[in-house]
Tab-separated table of all heavy atoms in Angstrom:
chain	number	residue	atom	x	y	z
P	1479	ASN	N	-25.288	6.730	-10.543
P	1479	ASN	CA	-26.008	5.922	-9.610
P	1479	ASN	C	-25.624	6.204	-8.179
P	1479	ASN	O	-25.601	5.185	-7.333
P	1479	ASN	CB	-25.656	4.392	-10.046
P	1479	ASN	CG	-26.258	4.099	-11.408
P	1479	ASN	OD1	-27.328	4.647	-11.833
P	1479	ASN	ND2	-25.484	3.269	-11.998
P	1480	LEU	N	-25.428	7.514	-7.929
P	1480	LEU	CA	-25.146	7.843	-6.435
P	1480	LEU	C	-26.183	8.932	-6.143
P	1480	LEU	O	-25.980	10.130	-6.537
P	1480	LEU	CB	-23.667	8.334	-6.296
P	1480	LEU	CG	-23.365	8.817	-4.877
P	1480	LEU	CD1	-23.503	7.582	-3.896
P	1480	LEU	CD2	-21.967	9.279	-4.855
P	1481	SER	N	-27.189	8.699	-5.473
P	1481	SER	CA	-28.243	9.696	-5.152
P	1481	SER	C	-27.980	10.401	-3.923
P	1481	SER	O	-28.242	11.549	-3.874
P	1481	SER	CB	-29.580	8.822	-5.019
P	1481	SER	OG	-29.451	7.968	-3.914
P	1482	ALA	N	-27.213	9.823	-2.945
P	1482	ALA	CA	-26.816	10.547	-1.821
P	1482	ALA	C	-25.425	10.100	-1.240
P	1482	ALA	O	-25.111	8.859	-1.339
P	1482	ALA	CB	-27.797	10.366	-0.651
P	1483	VAL	N	-24.627	10.991	-0.811
P	1483	VAL	CA	-23.334	10.663	-0.240
P	1483	VAL	C	-23.676	10.259	1.189
P	1483	VAL	O	-23.642	11.164	2.022
P	1483	VAL	CB	-22.366	11.850	-0.441
P	1483	VAL	CG1	-20.996	11.445	0.315
P	1483	VAL	CG2	-22.125	11.963	-1.828
P	1484	GLU	N	-23.760	9.066	1.539
P	1484	GLU	CA	-24.016	8.419	2.802
P	1484	GLU	C	-23.339	7.120	2.949
P	1484	GLU	O	-23.048	6.455	1.942
P	1484	GLU	CB	-25.579	8.318	3.073
P	1484	GLU	CG	-26.306	7.454	2.097
P	1484	GLU	CD	-27.846	7.528	2.219
P	1484	GLU	OE1	-28.259	8.525	2.829
P	1484	GLU	OE2	-28.438	6.599	1.806
P	1485	THR	N	-22.985	6.808	4.143
P	1485	THR	CA	-22.286	5.562	4.404
P	1485	THR	C	-23.034	4.440	3.867
P	1485	THR	O	-24.219	4.158	3.999
P	1485	THR	CB	-22.188	5.428	5.961
P	1485	THR	OG1	-21.414	6.522	6.563
P	1485	THR	CG2	-21.491	4.143	6.336
P	1486	GLY	N	-22.289	3.524	3.102
P	1486	GLY	CA	-22.867	2.340	2.502
P	1486	GLY	C	-23.295	2.491	1.086
P	1486	GLY	O	-23.544	1.556	0.397
P	1487	ALA	N	-23.415	3.761	0.650
P	1487	ALA	CA	-23.850	3.931	-0.807
P	1487	ALA	C	-22.795	3.513	-1.751
P	1487	ALA	O	-21.469	3.595	-1.437
P	1487	ALA	CB	-24.088	5.461	-0.950
P	1488	THR	N	-23.290	2.998	-2.881
P	1488	THR	CA	-22.387	2.595	-3.914
P	1488	THR	C	-22.681	3.324	-5.236
P	1488	THR	O	-23.692	3.981	-5.358
P	1488	THR	CB	-22.525	1.118	-4.176
P	1488	THR	OG1	-23.805	0.774	-4.627
P	1488	THR	CG2	-22.172	0.199	-3.076
P	1489	PHE	N	-21.566	3.417	-6.133
P	1489	PHE	CA	-21.776	4.123	-7.319
P	1489	PHE	C	-20.866	3.613	-8.401
P	1489	PHE	O	-20.010	2.746	-8.124
P	1489	PHE	CB	-21.515	5.582	-7.053
P	1489	PHE	CG	-20.150	5.913	-6.569
P	1489	PHE	CD1	-19.011	6.211	-7.378
P	1489	PHE	CD2	-19.850	5.849	-5.250
P	1489	PHE	CE1	-17.812	6.438	-6.856
P	1489	PHE	CE2	-18.642	6.196	-4.713
P	1489	PHE	CZ	-17.540	6.495	-5.606
P	1490	GLN	N	-20.973	4.074	-9.650
P	1490	GLN	CA	-20.061	3.752	-10.683
P	1490	GLN	C	-19.375	4.973	-11.082
P	1490	GLN	O	-19.867	6.020	-10.959
P	1490	GLN	CB	-20.835	3.255	-11.976
P	1490	GLN	CG	-21.383	1.767	-11.833
P	1490	GLN	CD	-22.454	1.603	-10.802
P	1490	GLN	OE1	-23.445	2.457	-10.798
P	1490	GLN	NE2	-22.295	0.671	-9.921
P	1491	TRP	N	-18.116	4.768	-11.552
P	1491	TRP	CA	-17.300	5.999	-11.901
P	1491	TRP	C	-16.668	5.688	-13.234
P	1491	TRP	O	-16.506	4.429	-13.641
P	1491	TRP	CB	-16.121	6.261	-10.931
P	1491	TRP	CG	-15.190	5.058	-10.637
P	1491	TRP	CD1	-15.277	4.125	-9.771
P	1491	TRP	CD2	-14.001	4.858	-11.490
P	1491	TRP	NE1	-14.182	3.262	-9.929
P	1491	TRP	CE2	-13.398	3.731	-11.055
P	1491	TRP	CE3	-13.388	5.492	-12.632
P	1491	TRP	CZ2	-12.255	3.202	-11.460
P	1491	TRP	CZ3	-12.286	5.019	-13.013
P	1491	TRP	CH2	-11.694	3.902	-12.476
P	1492	GLN	N	-16.227	6.723	-13.982
P	1492	GLN	CA	-15.597	6.586	-15.198
P	1492	GLN	C	-14.500	7.582	-15.367
P	1492	GLN	O	-14.652	8.722	-14.913
P	1492	GLN	CB	-16.603	6.710	-16.381
P	1492	GLN	CG	-16.009	6.332	-17.727
P	1492	GLN	CD	-17.019	6.192	-18.826
P	1492	GLN	OE1	-18.274	6.386	-18.658
P	1492	GLN	NE2	-16.661	5.942	-19.999
P	1493	ASN	N	-13.440	7.192	-16.040
P	1493	ASN	CA	-12.357	8.101	-16.400
P	1493	ASN	C	-11.826	7.605	-17.704
P	1493	ASN	O	-11.075	6.716	-17.756
P	1493	ASN	CB	-11.278	8.029	-15.310
P	1493	ASN	CG	-10.211	9.026	-15.566
P	1493	ASN	OD1	-10.340	10.022	-16.165
P	1493	ASN	ND2	-8.967	8.722	-15.187
P	1494	GLY	N	-12.180	8.297	-18.753
P	1494	GLY	CA	-11.763	7.946	-20.042
P	1494	GLY	C	-12.349	6.563	-20.426
P	1494	GLY	O	-13.538	6.280	-20.246
P	1495	ASN	N	-11.430	5.593	-20.782
P	1495	ASN	CA	-11.739	4.225	-21.052
P	1495	ASN	C	-11.871	3.350	-19.735
P	1495	ASN	O	-12.356	2.211	-19.865
P	1495	ASN	CB	-10.758	3.571	-21.952
P	1495	ASN	CG	-10.688	4.227	-23.316
P	1495	ASN	OD1	-11.457	5.096	-23.607
P	1495	ASN	ND2	-9.604	3.827	-24.058
P	1496	GLN	N	-11.460	3.874	-18.639
P	1496	GLN	CA	-11.504	3.012	-17.399
P	1496	GLN	C	-12.759	3.374	-16.661
P	1496	GLN	O	-13.333	4.478	-16.642
P	1496	GLN	CB	-10.305	3.364	-16.444
P	1496	GLN	CG	-8.951	2.968	-17.130
P	1496	GLN	CD	-7.787	3.281	-16.182
P	1496	GLN	OE1	-8.059	4.115	-15.205
P	1496	GLN	NE2	-6.823	2.583	-16.346
P	1497	SER	N	-13.327	2.334	-15.951
P	1497	SER	CA	-14.491	2.493	-15.099
P	1497	SER	C	-14.411	1.446	-14.012
P	1497	SER	O	-13.561	0.618	-14.004
P	1497	SER	CB	-15.730	2.204	-15.943
P	1497	SER	OG	-15.836	0.972	-16.425
P	1498	GLY	N	-15.293	1.719	-13.009
P	1498	GLY	CA	-15.398	0.801	-11.886
P	1498	GLY	C	-16.388	1.133	-10.987
P	1498	GLY	O	-17.273	1.912	-11.323
P	1499	THR	N	-16.265	0.704	-9.739
P	1499	THR	CA	-17.318	0.864	-8.677
P	1499	THR	C	-16.622	1.602	-7.601
P	1499	THR	O	-15.478	1.693	-7.341
P	1499	THR	CB	-17.921	-0.382	-8.180
P	1499	THR	OG1	-16.859	-1.239	-7.599
P	1499	THR	CG2	-18.651	-1.130	-9.338
P	1500	GLY	N	-17.539	2.301	-6.795
P	1500	GLY	CA	-17.052	2.988	-5.576
P	1500	GLY	C	-18.080	2.744	-4.386
P	1500	GLY	O	-19.184	2.375	-4.715
P	1501	THR	N	-17.560	2.838	-3.294
P	1501	THR	CA	-18.352	2.659	-2.163
P	1501	THR	C	-18.048	3.893	-1.055
P	1501	THR	O	-16.828	4.062	-0.901
P	1501	THR	CB	-18.059	1.372	-1.440
P	1501	THR	OG1	-18.335	0.309	-2.278
P	1501	THR	CG2	-18.953	1.156	-0.110
P	1502	ILE	N	-19.064	4.370	-0.564
P	1502	ILE	CA	-18.921	5.384	0.475
P	1502	ILE	C	-18.752	4.656	1.788
P	1502	ILE	O	-19.645	4.107	2.361
P	1502	ILE	CB	-20.149	6.332	0.610
P	1502	ILE	CG1	-20.500	7.003	-0.721
P	1502	ILE	CG2	-19.839	7.371	1.716
P	1502	ILE	CD1	-19.468	7.904	-1.189
P	1503	VAL	N	-17.476	4.495	2.250
P	1503	VAL	CA	-17.229	3.745	3.452
P	1503	VAL	C	-17.655	4.485	4.660
P	1503	VAL	O	-18.164	3.858	5.604
P	1503	VAL	CB	-15.713	3.483	3.525
P	1503	VAL	CG1	-15.197	2.800	4.777
P	1503	VAL	CG2	-15.110	2.781	2.402
P	1504	ARG	N	-17.522	5.739	4.770
P	1504	ARG	CA	-17.984	6.546	5.929
P	1504	ARG	C	-18.329	7.986	5.415
P	1504	ARG	O	-17.515	8.564	4.744
P	1504	ARG	CB	-17.005	6.587	6.904
P	1504	ARG	CG	-17.459	7.430	8.114
P	1504	ARG	CD	-16.384	7.641	9.199
P	1504	ARG	NE	-15.935	6.441	9.843
P	1504	ARG	CZ	-14.996	6.384	10.720
P	1504	ARG	NH1	-14.339	7.485	11.147
P	1504	ARG	NH2	-14.573	5.229	11.303
P	1505	ALA	N	-19.407	8.457	5.909
P	1505	ALA	CA	-19.849	9.860	5.614
P	1505	ALA	C	-20.364	10.391	6.887
P	1505	ALA	O	-21.464	10.148	7.290
P	1505	ALA	CB	-20.804	9.972	4.449
P	1506	ASN	N	-19.429	11.218	7.648
P	1506	ASN	CA	-19.970	11.943	8.681
P	1506	ASN	C	-20.053	13.470	8.306
P	1506	ASN	O	-18.998	14.082	8.201
P	1506	ASN	CB	-18.933	11.762	9.852
P	1506	ASN	CG	-18.833	10.440	10.371
P	1506	ASN	OD1	-19.559	9.563	9.980
P	1506	ASN	ND2	-17.749	10.154	11.205
P	1507	PRO	N	-21.327	13.931	8.137
P	1507	PRO	CA	-21.507	15.206	7.674
P	1507	PRO	C	-20.628	16.323	8.438
P	1507	PRO	O	-20.492	16.226	9.559
P	1507	PRO	CB	-22.956	15.442	7.709
P	1507	PRO	CG	-23.567	14.152	7.672
P	1507	PRO	CD	-22.569	13.194	8.362
P	1508	ASN	N	-19.963	17.209	7.616
P	1508	ASN	CA	-19.195	18.310	8.026
P	1508	ASN	C	-17.882	17.796	8.846
P	1508	ASN	O	-17.277	18.632	9.504
P	1508	ASN	CB	-19.949	19.218	8.950
P	1508	ASN	CG	-21.073	19.836	8.213
P	1508	ASN	OD1	-20.892	20.310	7.031
P	1508	ASN	ND2	-22.239	20.000	8.901
P	1509	GLN	N	-17.589	16.538	8.647
P	1509	GLN	CA	-16.391	16.001	9.411
P	1509	GLN	C	-15.446	15.087	8.574
P	1509	GLN	O	-14.264	15.405	8.399
P	1509	GLN	CB	-16.803	15.126	10.628
P	1509	GLN	CG	-17.521	15.994	11.686
P	1509	GLN	CD	-17.900	15.124	12.764
P	1509	GLN	OE1	-17.582	13.932	12.913
P	1509	GLN	NE2	-18.891	15.615	13.633
P	1510	ARG	N	-16.055	14.026	8.008
P	1510	ARG	CA	-15.198	13.052	7.354
P	1510	ARG	C	-15.964	12.299	6.228
P	1510	ARG	O	-17.018	11.909	6.363
P	1510	ARG	CB	-14.787	12.034	8.505
P	1510	ARG	CG	-13.836	10.988	7.891
P	1510	ARG	CD	-13.569	10.052	9.234
P	1510	ARG	NE	-12.668	8.998	8.867
P	1510	ARG	CZ	-11.342	8.980	9.187
P	1510	ARG	NH1	-10.840	10.134	9.824
P	1510	ARG	NH2	-10.620	8.041	8.896
P	1511	LEU	N	-15.206	12.151	5.187
P	1511	LEU	CA	-15.701	11.303	4.078
P	1511	LEU	C	-14.615	10.357	3.568
P	1511	LEU	O	-13.466	10.729	3.363
P	1511	LEU	CB	-16.087	12.277	2.836
P	1511	LEU	CG	-16.431	11.495	1.522
P	1511	LEU	CD1	-17.811	10.800	1.677
P	1511	LEU	CD2	-16.528	12.581	0.331
P	1512	GLU	N	-15.041	9.128	3.563
P	1512	GLU	CA	-14.040	8.050	3.126
P	1512	GLU	C	-14.761	7.279	1.944
P	1512	GLU	O	-15.917	6.870	2.034
P	1512	GLU	CB	-13.852	6.968	4.249
P	1512	GLU	CG	-13.047	7.481	5.378
P	1512	GLU	CD	-12.849	6.402	6.417
P	1512	GLU	OE1	-12.502	5.263	5.999
P	1512	GLU	OE2	-13.050	6.803	7.616
P	1513	VAL	N	-14.005	7.168	0.852
P	1513	VAL	CA	-14.477	6.597	-0.343
P	1513	VAL	C	-13.475	5.398	-0.813
P	1513	VAL	O	-12.245	5.722	-0.935
P	1513	VAL	CB	-14.701	7.579	-1.482
P	1513	VAL	CG1	-15.251	6.938	-2.720
P	1513	VAL	CG2	-15.547	8.732	-1.017
P	1514	LEU	N	-13.990	4.293	-1.165
P	1514	LEU	CA	-13.112	3.212	-1.810
P	1514	LEU	C	-13.500	3.150	-3.240
P	1514	LEU	O	-14.739	2.990	-3.619
P	1514	LEU	CB	-13.548	1.987	-1.062
P	1514	LEU	CG	-12.838	0.700	-1.619
P	1514	LEU	CD1	-11.251	0.788	-1.430
P	1514	LEU	CD2	-13.335	-0.690	-0.985
P	1515	ILE	N	-12.486	3.261	-4.008
P	1515	ILE	CA	-12.638	3.134	-5.459
P	1515	ILE	C	-12.030	1.885	-5.940
P	1515	ILE	O	-10.838	1.545	-5.595
P	1515	ILE	CB	-11.867	4.355	-6.215
P	1515	ILE	CG1	-12.567	5.743	-5.746
P	1515	ILE	CG2	-11.891	4.150	-7.660
P	1515	ILE	CD1	-13.936	5.925	-6.328
P	1516	GLU	N	-12.755	1.027	-6.804
P	1516	GLU	CA	-12.188	-0.186	-7.226
P	1516	GLU	C	-12.320	-0.168	-8.789
P	1516	GLU	O	-13.262	0.333	-9.325
P	1516	GLU	CB	-13.103	-1.300	-6.694
P	1516	GLU	CG	-13.029	-1.392	-5.197
P	1516	GLU	CD	-13.880	-2.491	-4.596
P	1516	GLU	OE1	-15.100	-2.259	-4.482
P	1516	GLU	OE2	-13.263	-3.605	-4.134
P	1517	GLY	N	-11.240	-0.683	-9.423
P	1517	GLY	CA	-11.169	-0.813	-10.926
P	1517	GLY	C	-10.028	-0.032	-11.354
P	1517	GLY	O	-9.277	0.625	-10.651
P	1518	GLY	N	-9.770	-0.046	-12.704
P	1518	GLY	CA	-8.733	0.589	-13.342
P	1518	GLY	C	-7.295	0.043	-12.889
P	1518	GLY	O	-6.280	0.751	-12.938
P	1519	GLY	N	-7.360	-1.264	-12.449
P	1519	GLY	CA	-6.104	-1.956	-12.151
P	1519	GLY	C	-5.582	-1.785	-10.818
P	1519	GLY	O	-4.589	-2.314	-10.349
P	1520	HIS	N	-6.455	-1.046	-9.905
P	1520	HIS	CA	-6.017	-0.908	-8.557
P	1520	HIS	C	-7.220	-0.532	-7.654
P	1520	HIS	O	-8.288	-0.046	-8.274
P	1520	HIS	CB	-4.879	-0.030	-8.286
P	1520	HIS	CG	-5.162	1.438	-8.637
P	1520	HIS	ND1	-5.143	2.001	-9.897
P	1520	HIS	CD2	-5.548	2.492	-7.839
P	1520	HIS	CE1	-5.481	3.246	-9.853
P	1520	HIS	NE2	-5.794	3.521	-8.617
P	1521	ASN	N	-7.023	-0.562	-6.383
P	1521	ASN	CA	-8.020	-0.049	-5.428
P	1521	ASN	C	-7.473	1.120	-4.707
P	1521	ASN	O	-6.263	1.177	-4.476
P	1521	ASN	CB	-8.444	-1.103	-4.357
P	1521	ASN	CG	-9.094	-2.308	-5.107
P	1521	ASN	OD1	-9.605	-2.239	-6.087
P	1521	ASN	ND2	-9.153	-3.326	-4.342
P	1522	SER	N	-8.233	2.098	-4.521
P	1522	SER	CA	-7.776	3.327	-3.762
P	1522	SER	C	-8.769	3.735	-2.657
P	1522	SER	O	-9.855	3.602	-2.982
P	1522	SER	CB	-7.495	4.450	-4.722
P	1522	SER	OG	-8.593	4.825	-5.452
P	1523	HIS	N	-8.156	4.181	-1.522
P	1523	HIS	CA	-9.034	4.604	-0.446
P	1523	HIS	C	-8.773	6.125	-0.269
P	1523	HIS	O	-7.535	6.373	-0.057
P	1523	HIS	CB	-8.700	3.804	0.824
P	1523	HIS	CG	-9.645	3.926	2.003
P	1523	HIS	ND1	-9.222	4.711	3.013
P	1523	HIS	CD2	-10.861	3.465	2.239
P	1523	HIS	CE1	-10.239	4.754	3.887
P	1523	HIS	NE2	-11.197	3.966	3.373
P	1524	HIS	N	-9.755	6.759	-0.261
P	1524	HIS	CA	-9.699	8.364	-0.158
P	1524	HIS	C	-10.391	8.701	1.209
P	1524	HIS	O	-11.546	8.499	1.481
P	1524	HIS	CB	-10.371	8.943	-1.243
P	1524	HIS	CG	-9.909	8.538	-2.598
P	1524	HIS	ND1	-8.975	9.166	-3.344
P	1524	HIS	CD2	-10.216	7.353	-3.315
P	1524	HIS	CE1	-8.707	8.532	-4.456
P	1524	HIS	NE2	-9.477	7.369	-4.446
Side-chain angles (χ1 to χ4, degrees):
N1479 299 324
L1480 181 60
S1481 57
V1483 175
E1484 58 190 19
T1485 301
T1488 60
F1489 60 92
Q1490 283 69 47
W1491 62 269
Q1492 186 167 359
N1493 183 32
N1495 296 351
Q1496 295 183 338
S1497 63
T1499 60
T1501 303
I1502 307 297
V1503 176
R1504 182 189 293 179
N1506 295 350
N1508 298 319
Q1509 295 176 13
R1510 183 180 184 99
L1511 176 63
E1512 292 183 43
V1513 181
L1514 176 64
I1515 298 289
E1516 300 176 283
H1520 67 275
N1521 297 341
S1522 55
H1523 189 258
H1524 306 261

